Amino acid sequence: MTPALDGACATRFSAFAPEPFAEHLDVVWLGMPDDTHAPGRIVVPVSALPEHRDAVLDAMVRHYGGDPAQHARALMSQWSKYYFGRAAPAGVVAALTLGRPLDMAPERTFVALDDGMPAALYFAADALGAPCSEPAPRYAGLVAHLGAVIDLLAAMGRVTPRVLWSNAGNLLDYLLDTYRSLPCAADPVRDADWLFGSTCVHGEPNPLRMPVRDAVPRSPLLPTPFRARRVCCLRYEIPGETQLCGSCPLLLTMDDAALAGQDAIR
């Protein structure tokens, strides 16, 4: 049963989510809970993230190493994955489980930063819109939110937006694919066709277009087909980060010796 939506109280987004996603949405809220301001935590509008650039980069240095001046673009790319892991499932759950749009305007959405990490996300209590059948209005808030946040992070880390769009698209592809086996208010196949199509909400070229592809690798050490991201996340630029993710397009360029090394690291 879907919980009642009372604008006067805060509701965990996990209350709406199917089992595969509920755990990840325990810290995403409609409304602001009473214990928002935990010790050592700052809560800021998402639009104010640039004011906390140093804290964000320092958080990634603690996780991955590197230097915030030399490796800012790779570090910011990694931080974006943590952030999208909070925001994207909420938008998809709203669109597919509830069949409703979610207002994710950055000035109305707050992020809790614990030592620079996105620890929680708070949408306005009235952020869920009315149910609708068409994918465009159901995903408009999510796509606009991603675009705004990507513009902020790209400037903060001097990283090209296409890398950040690829990080978001890789996650969204996984979420929409997982939904094919879950109860939905909408059709996840139809939604994926729209979300990853050639044009987006206002008819411009879609930065989420086909974020992953099935490739035929040259090496038998890789599965066929090989699920490859279209754009690398740049993690390899951080000193010591020699293990590539399982869908990295750079794996398609490696010889067998290098691929065997990757397999041994895993």
Side-chain angles (χ1 to χ4, degrees):
M1 173 182 277
T2 300
L5 297 175
D6 182 352
C9 65
T11 305
R12 292 182 193 270
F13 229 91
S14 57
F16 316 120
E19 185 57 37
F21 306 132
E23 178 182 354
H24 302 287
L25 290 170
D26 264 351
V27 293
V28 179
W29 296 78
L30 282 175
M32 198 78 75
D34 292 336
D35 62 349
T36 297
H37 295 279
R41 170 174 293 186
I42 61 171
V43 179
V44 300
V46 171
S47 56
L49 275 172
E51 300 169 22
H52 304 277
R53 177 181 184 273
D54 290 347
V56 165
L57 289 175
D58 287 348
M60 290 296 93
V61 169
R62 288 193 297 273
H63 276 68
Y64 293 97
D67 179 86
Q70 296 182 48
H71 309 112
R73 70 176 199 151
L75 293 168
M76 195 63 71
S77 174
Q78 304 320 303
W79 191 89
S80 77
K81 296 178 186 179
Y82 292 92
Y83 181 83
F84 295 150
R86 305 295 191 202
V92 172
V93 165
L96 274 174
T97 296
L98 303 179
R100 302 169 69 169
L102 180 66
D103 179 358
M104 302 174 70
E107 63 275 10
R108 298 188 74 218
T109 304
F110 288 76
V111 59
L113 296 176
D114 286 2
D115 293 324
M117 293 297 292
L121 206 58
Y122 309 101
F123 300 107
D126 61 352
L128 279 172
C132 56
S133 60
E134 292 301 312
R138 281 187 285 110
Y139 290 93
L142 173 60
V143 172
H145 182 86
L146 292 175
V149 171
I150 284 170
D151 286 346
L152 294 175
L153 299 184
M156 290 164 64
R158 299 183 295 279
V159 55
T160 178
R162 70 191 296 262
V163 170
L164 304 178
W165 278 110
S166 177
N167 290 348
N170 184 56
L171 174 58
L172 288 169
D173 179 82
Y174 164 76
L175 295 174
L176 271 290
D177 186 64
T178 302
Y179 254 106
R180 294 182 183 218
S181 61
L182 298 173
C184 297
D187 179 358
V189 175
R190 179 187 181 219
D191 281 16
D193 288 344
W194 181 86
L195 194 60
F196 305 128
S198 59
T199 58
C200 59
V201 177
H202 301 294
E204 301 95 343
N206 185 7
L208 287 171
R209 180 178 180 272
M210 292 183 65
V212 298
R213 61 190 175 95
D214 286 338
V216 178
R218 294 176 299 177
S219 171
L221 297 179
L222 292 174
T224 301
F226 176 73
R227 180 187 182 275
R229 292 172 49 130
R230 287 198 171 271
V231 182
C232 173
C233 76
L234 307 178
R235 191 174 73 189
Y236 73 92
E237 292 188 355
I238 304 170
E241 286 295 318
T242 56
Q243 180 181 358
L244 303 179
C245 74
S247 58
C248 182
L250 297 182
L251 292 172
L252 294 170
T253 69
M254 290 183 170
D255 60 25
D256 285 359
L259 286 172
Q262 286 288 314
D263 187 65
I265 292 173
R266 282 183 220 289

